[in-house]
């Protein structure tokens, strides 16, 4: 649920994860300050290596002695790919960062055979690819469980984009080889690249009608920005759209299950989501260089509230969303920015993600019933002022409530049904300065403030939520 995404694009890998020569680089060339920030963020898994990059990537270019790896032009983002970071480096970086890998296979220019060979390289203990892996320094299989089968073939910008049936047939046969190679693998088939796609939700129905037996998950991608009028209330209503997107996708999955007289539920992998404003430097700045700037977004306090609202939707749908990846991890539409040879900055959106990843770690999401005033948003219709979720962590015995206030001052009354509850702390981030950002000069301008613990036992707690704020309340039942 609290995963991320690392693509070979811009300065995500080269200059973000991997910067040999940086004062904080370890012997593998990985920035240790980034690894520390990833651990602080609480990221659980990372999808790799793309993204649009994936659809023309040959994973075999990125293994073996670095001096022998080919330097290639990379057409998806018009950059130069030195291949000095590949599968083995990614796996080592995951182990150092304490995250699980989600590998994706090329279904654009790639073949089913190459996809099967990658599973063999990563997961097998016998055969030529296992020997190759051992030669490259890793005897033990990596045991990668989660596999994305392609990336956004429904988008016409994708290298080798496809019709739903072409994709489904190709991906089914790839998954077949991959599963025969390692039966423990789970497969994420490509669903829709956007809630706004003309082919949503039909694409999902058509793909699943062919791929139901091989698919474990269907992916959804969702990026949000301001509407044409640039209205903040309208922007902060984006959770309404994500909710609708998820509900529709679940309905389609369940429809296909019914048609197939199936027994399994297809789960959702929301494996690219975020707010994304700046399309500049998309492909054109410094083409054909290694790690050129691409999609570098500077997020402000309002974006943090938007992300808090989206995360509540994700948590509230955790019965079906079993994989979630905020896109991306570093420098490219990311919660973390790194500077060449220099420091690292945690953007405002870092903090709501961290709050959820750290505090929504239990196994129970609570259903909350709330009477919340609404307003009319131009793009999404009626939107509640408050977006909320609540979880229970059986290990700590804590109840945590997350609430984003998109409008004016509101109070929230929590009724616990017992009089033995104490507030044991929390945090709050406000967007009083709506456009405030964190920079190398002022890295802590937008950070959460702690909410102090109380001694008083309560049955009901009424809290005032400041205008434009994201709050986390942690309670313990004594
Ligand atoms: O995350 C940036 C890009 O957005 C990815 O490469 C692609 O999958 C999506 O369109």
């Amino acid at each position: 649920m609290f995963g991320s995404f690392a693509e070979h694009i811009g300065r995500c890998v080269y200059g973000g994860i991997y910067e040999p020569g940086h004062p904080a680089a370890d012997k593998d060339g990985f920035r240790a300050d980034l690894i520390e920030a990833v651990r602080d963020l609480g990221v659980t898994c990372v999808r790799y290596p793309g993204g649009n990059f994936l659809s023309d990537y040959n994973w075999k270019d990125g293994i073996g002695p670095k001096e022998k790896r080919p330097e290639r032009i990379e057409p998806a983002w018009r950059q130069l790919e030195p291949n000095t970071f590949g599968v083995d480096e990614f796996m080592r970086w995951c182990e150092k960062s304490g995250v699980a890998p989600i590998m994706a296979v090329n279904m654009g220019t790639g073949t089913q055979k190459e996809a099967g060979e990658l599973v063999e390289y990563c997961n097998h203990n016998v055969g030529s690819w296992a020997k190759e892996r051992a030669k490259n320094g890793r005897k033990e299989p990596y045991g990668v469980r989660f596999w994305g089968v392609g990336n956004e073939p429904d988008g016409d910008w994708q290298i080798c984009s496809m019709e739903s049936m072409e994709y489904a047939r190709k991906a089914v046969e790839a998954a077949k080889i991959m599963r025969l190679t390692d039966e423990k693998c789970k497969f994420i088939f490509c669903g829709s690249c956007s809630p706004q796609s003309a082919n949503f939700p039909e694409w999902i129905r058509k793909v699943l009608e062919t791929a139901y037996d091989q698919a474990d998950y269907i992916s959804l991608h969702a990026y949000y920005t301001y509407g044409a009028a640039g209205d903040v209330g309208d922007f902060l209503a984006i959770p309404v759209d994500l909710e609708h997107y998820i509900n529709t996708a679940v309905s389609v999955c369940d429809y296909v299950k019914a048609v197939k007289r199936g027994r399994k539920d297809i789960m959702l992998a929301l494996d690219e989501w975020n707010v994304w404003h700046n399309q500049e430097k998309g492909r054109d700045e410094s083409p054909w260089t290694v790690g050129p700037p691409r999609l570098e977004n500077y997020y402000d306090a309002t974006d943090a509230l938007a992300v808090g609202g989206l995360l509540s939707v994700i948590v509230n749908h955790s019965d079906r969303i079993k994989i979630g990846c905020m896109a991306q991890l570093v420098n490219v539409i990311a919660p973390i920015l790194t500077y060449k040879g220099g420091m690292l900055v945690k953007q405002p959106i870092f903090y709501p993600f961290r709050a959820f990843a750290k505090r929504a770690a239990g196994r129970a999401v609570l259903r909350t019933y709330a009477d919340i005033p609404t307003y009319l948003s131009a793009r999404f219709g009626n939107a509640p002022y408050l977006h909320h979720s609540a979880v229970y962590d059986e290990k700590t015995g804590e109840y945590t409530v997350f609430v984003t206030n998109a409008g004016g001052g509101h109070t929230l009354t929590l009724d616990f049904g017992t009089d033995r509850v104490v507030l044991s702390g929390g945090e709050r981030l406000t967007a009083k300065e709506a456009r405030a950002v964190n920079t190398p000069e002022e890295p802590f301008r937008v950070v959460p403030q702690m909410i102090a613990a109380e001694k008083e036992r309560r049955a009901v707690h009424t809290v005032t939520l400041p205008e434009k704020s994201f709050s986390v309340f942690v309670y313990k039942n004594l």
Side-chain angles (χ1 to χ4, degrees), residues 70-82:
E71 187 177 70
R72 302 235 188 251
I73 64 150
E74 193 291 289
W77 298 105
R78 291 168 55 81
Q79 50 191 37
L80 194 60
E81 175 53 57

Side-chain angles (χ1 to χ4, degrees), residues 5 7 9 47 50-53 77 151-152 157-158 193 221 223 272 276 295 327-328 332-333:
F5 171 37
E7 177 173 4
I9 167 183
R47 174 174 174 249
N52 298 342
F53 168 81
W77 298 105
N151 181 69
E152 295 188 350
W157 57 88
Q158 201 65 213
C193 64
H221 293 177
Y223 292 106
E272 284 187 35
W276 176 356
L295 316 182
Q328 297 194 6
V332 177
I333 41 172

Side-chain angles (χ1 to χ4, degrees), residues 354-476:
R354 181 178 74 175
F356 276 92
K358 292 269 153 81
R359 298 186 190 271
R363 294 189 56 80
V365 174
L366 308 178
R367 276 202 198 288
T368 45
Y369 296 92
D371 181 13
I372 293 173
T374 60
Y375 63 100
L376 194 60
S377 115
R379 278 189 300 169
F380 307 118
N382 253 6
Y385 281 108
L386 307 182
H387 301 283
H388 58 93
S389 53
V391 299
Y392 173 65
D393 186 339
E394 69 287 355
K395 283 204 194 108
T396 58
E398 285 173 342
Y399 296 87
T400 304
V401 178
F402 304 88
V403 50
T404 303
N405 178 4
H410 291 282
T411 55
L412 179 72
T413 301
L414 298 161
D415 183 346
F416 303 108
T418 158
D419 58 4
R420 301 169 59 82
V421 168
V422 293
L423 177 70
S424 61
E427 60 188 90
R428 169 172 295 143
L429 190 146
T430 53
K432 263 187 277 167
E433 284 184 278
R435 292 293 183 205
V437 294
N438 293 338
T439 61
E441 295 72 38
E442 267 189 295
F444 305 114
R445 188 157 162 213
V446 188
V447 291
Q449 306 303 315
M450 291 304 121
I451 294 176
E454 294 178 351
K455 290 218 165 68
E456 192 182 339
R457 292 185 183 197
R458 303 169 183 276
V460 167
H461 193 196
T462 298
V463 286
T464 304
L465 302 168
E467 192 177 336
K468 302 266 178 349
S469 59
F470 166 70
S471 309
V472 181
F473 301 98
V474 184
Y475 296 94
K476 227 172 173 143

Side-chain angles (χ1 to χ4, degrees), residues 312-324:
S312 269
V313 175
I314 292 169
V315 162
N316 285 333
H317 287 276
S318 61
D319 57 332
R320 295 304 284 271
I321 300 180
K322 296 295 178 186
I323 294 175

Side-chain angles (χ1 to χ4, degrees), residues 236-257:
L236 291 178
I238 58 179
V240 172
D241 191 63
L242 183 63
E243 176 97 37
H244 181 60
Y245 188 38
I246 293 165
N247 284 336
T248 308
V250 167
S251 304
V252 176
C253 292
D254 291 350
Y255 165 79
V256 177
K257 177 185 173 188

